[in-house]
Amino acid sequence: MSSGTLYLIPSTLGPGAIDTIPPRTLAAIRPLRHFVVETGKVARAFLKEVQLDHRLQECHYYELNKRTPDEALPALLEPALAGQNVGLLSDAGAPGVADPGARLILLAHRHGVRVVPLVGPSAILLCLMAAGLNGQSFTFHGYLSPKRPQLAKDLKRLEAESRRHQQTQLWIEAPYRNQATLEVAVEALAPSTLFSVAVDLTTETEWVRTAAISDWIGDDAPAIGAGLQKRPAMFLLLA
């Protein structure tokens, strides 16, 4: 028996943004009945908007998150090995990028399962496009340290790398740490370093700003920072 296909499904970056998923991608998702998901509740909300060819209750959901042990991965791939098509999706954006799904994708390759990436929103590319920084050379670092002293060291290290290679550095942050990230960046980085924040990409409240650190220190900086809290954000710098 030939194996099924593992479809990599890019989910929306925020509420009310199902129109950012291309029709061709939606057509590939709708017949699927097996889904490996980061969070069941979030996945089902997205799939409800997709409007599957069958009821959500008729689908099979298998959770894969950062706490899933490696020994549990083969069971998640079993439907594909049995000839069924499987969809892999994270809570937001592209699966496999700053996402635990990469481990399942690698296992699929090892077992000869066909892997198909579907087109959709990528916060990394969107923020890089909108920032106006170096899109020719860049590095994505995932999540930095949640602790302020170590975060300051991380940012200074990224700044030094950026200055040495003229390379844009970008990373993601948990929404509740956005304010702290902005404050530490203002304290730790050189005044001339360009710093960019992209928030709520593809949604009605989307907001992107790039400016030198010296311009983030103005009287309005605290108000801007407070407005970032609990909103999905990407951060970039170029020294």
Side-chain angles (χ1 to χ4, degrees):
M1 178 186 294
S2 60
S3 61
T5 297
L6 180 63
Y7 287 98
L8 311 185
I9 302 171
S11 55
T12 51
L13 300 179
I18 193 64
D19 58 348
T20 62
I21 308 296
R24 184 177 179 181
T25 295
L26 293 173
I29 300 171
R30 285 173 177 144
L32 300 177
R33 291 178 179 269
H34 296 269
F35 295 95
V36 177
V37 305
E38 188 173 2
T39 306
K41 182 179 180 180
V42 175
R44 279 187 279 270
F46 168 72
L47 293 173
K48 183 177 181 180
E49 289 192 275
V50 168
Q51 297 182 342
L52 299 175
D53 292 342
H54 35 265
R55 296 187 305 160
L56 291 176
Q57 295 87 337
E58 297 174 11
C59 296
H60 303 276
Y61 305 95
Y62 318 88
E63 287 205 1
L64 170 57
N65 52 53
K66 61 183 180 181
R67 295 177 295 276
T68 303
D70 288 343
E71 53 268 27
L73 296 180
L76 304 182
L77 198 61
E78 281 182 3
L81 294 174
Q84 300 292 318
N85 293 334
V86 177
L88 171 66
L89 65 154
S90 62
D91 285 349
V97 181
D99 171 73
R103 294 183 290 154
L104 186 67
I105 296 168
L106 181 58
L107 186 64
H109 284 296
R110 287 174 176 164
H111 284 274
V113 173
R114 183 183 178 218
V115 175
V116 175
L118 299 176
V119 176
S122 166
I124 294 173
L125 290 180
L126 290 170
C127 74
L128 191 64
M129 290 164 58
L133 304 180
N134 189 357
Q136 195 84 324
S137 178
F138 58 92
T139 300
F140 175 61
H141 297 274
Y143 292 89
L144 301 184
S145 174
K147 298 181 179 180
R148 287 189 178 226
Q150 184 58 49
L151 176 59
K153 292 179 181 179
D154 288 347
L155 292 178
K156 289 179 180 178
R157 173 175 54 82
L158 298 190
E159 183 180 49
E161 291 181 13
S162 177
R163 186 176 294 113
R164 186 179 307 115
H165 303 292
Q166 273 302 288
Q167 186 179 72
T168 299
Q169 310 290 315
L170 57 152
W171 66 98
I172 194 171
E173 193 47 87
Y176 66 88
R177 292 202 294 261
N178 289 341
Q179 171 74 12
T181 299
L182 177 59
E183 291 173 357
V184 172
V186 166
E187 295 169 359
L189 300 176
S192 61
T193 291
L194 293 172
F195 188 73
S196 183
V197 182
V199 179
D200 292 344
L201 290 167
T202 74
T203 72
E204 292 183 358
T205 55
E206 179 178 280
W207 181 83
V208 182
R209 183 191 184 196
T210 297
I213 284 293
S214 59
D215 294 327
W216 283 93
I217 306 177
D219 293 338
D220 60 342
I224 294 172
L228 298 181
Q229 281 299 79
K230 298 183 180 179
R231 299 165 67 186
M234 296 288 299
F235 297 88
L236 309 88
L237 68 83
L238 180 64

